[in-house]
Amino acid sequence: MSASYRIAEAAALLGVSDDTVRRWIDSGRLPASREGGGPAHVDGADLARLATELHEAPEPGTTRGSSARNRLAGIVTRVLRDTVMAQVEIQAGPFRLVSLMSREAADELGLEVGVRAVATVKATQVSVDVP
């Protein structure tokens, strides 16, 4: 089951304003639901799809201006598991991060498409935490 996010949470994960997310919902670019007239919620899998679309990899040899810190909050956009290992992709604003970890670790963290995660970068290793 995919996570669900309020508009402000979705905006923070995508690196855009709340108003931008509302416009995308109103235009149909980002599906949202309301239960009982409450605030709008965005399904995590839909948010992951849009995050991937918004931040395609730059052309080789080009860079984007950034001031990335060691902890990058984002949303899981892809998880590939085999019997021993898992490859987890996270979109953190304009940054796509890939982490290789044991399948057991990915299962214990409950990493699935649409789940919020934090990538901690240390040298050549990326550790993934769940907030």
Side-chain angles (χ1 to χ4, degrees), residues 85-118:
M85 298 297 293
Q87 177 180 320
V88 179
E89 295 183 21
I90 298 171
Q91 192 71 44
F95 306 103
R96 177 181 162 263
L97 301 151
V98 179
S99 178
L100 299 176
M101 65 183 69
S102 70
R103 180 190 176 117
E104 180 180 10
D107 291 345
E108 287 176 3
L109 290 170
L111 296 175
E112 299 291 343
V113 170
V115 170
R116 183 185 344 216
V118 178

Side-chain angles (χ1 to χ4, degrees), residues 2-120:
S2 185
S4 176
Y5 299 98
R6 295 185 323 251
I7 288 176
E9 293 172 320
L13 289 169
L14 295 174
V16 299
S17 71
D18 295 8
D19 287 337
T20 297
V21 172
R22 285 187 193 93
R23 281 192 297 276
W24 288 338
I25 290 170
D26 291 344
S27 71
R29 184 174 187 188
L30 181 62
S33 62
R34 294 181 190 270
E35 291 193 23
H41 280 79
V42 176
D43 180 71
D46 291 327
L47 192 62
R49 177 195 46 77
L50 181 59
T52 302
E53 288 174 13
L54 291 174
H55 300 293
E56 293 295 327
E59 292 296 317
T62 62
T63 60
R64 296 182 182 155
S66 69
S67 60
R69 306 265 183 215
N70 289 341
R71 292 179 53 84
L72 302 168
I75 187 166
V76 176
T77 57
R78 186 174 183 205
V79 180
L80 297 175
R81 289 179 169 91
D82 66 17
T83 56
V84 177
M85 298 297 293
Q87 177 180 320
V88 179
E89 295 183 21
I90 298 171
Q91 192 71 44
F95 306 103
R96 177 181 162 263
L97 301 151
V98 179
S99 178
L100 299 176
M101 65 183 69
S102 70
R103 180 190 176 117
E104 180 180 10
D107 291 345
E108 287 176 3
L109 290 170
L111 296 175
E112 299 291 343
V113 170
V115 170
R116 183 185 344 216
V118 178
T120 304

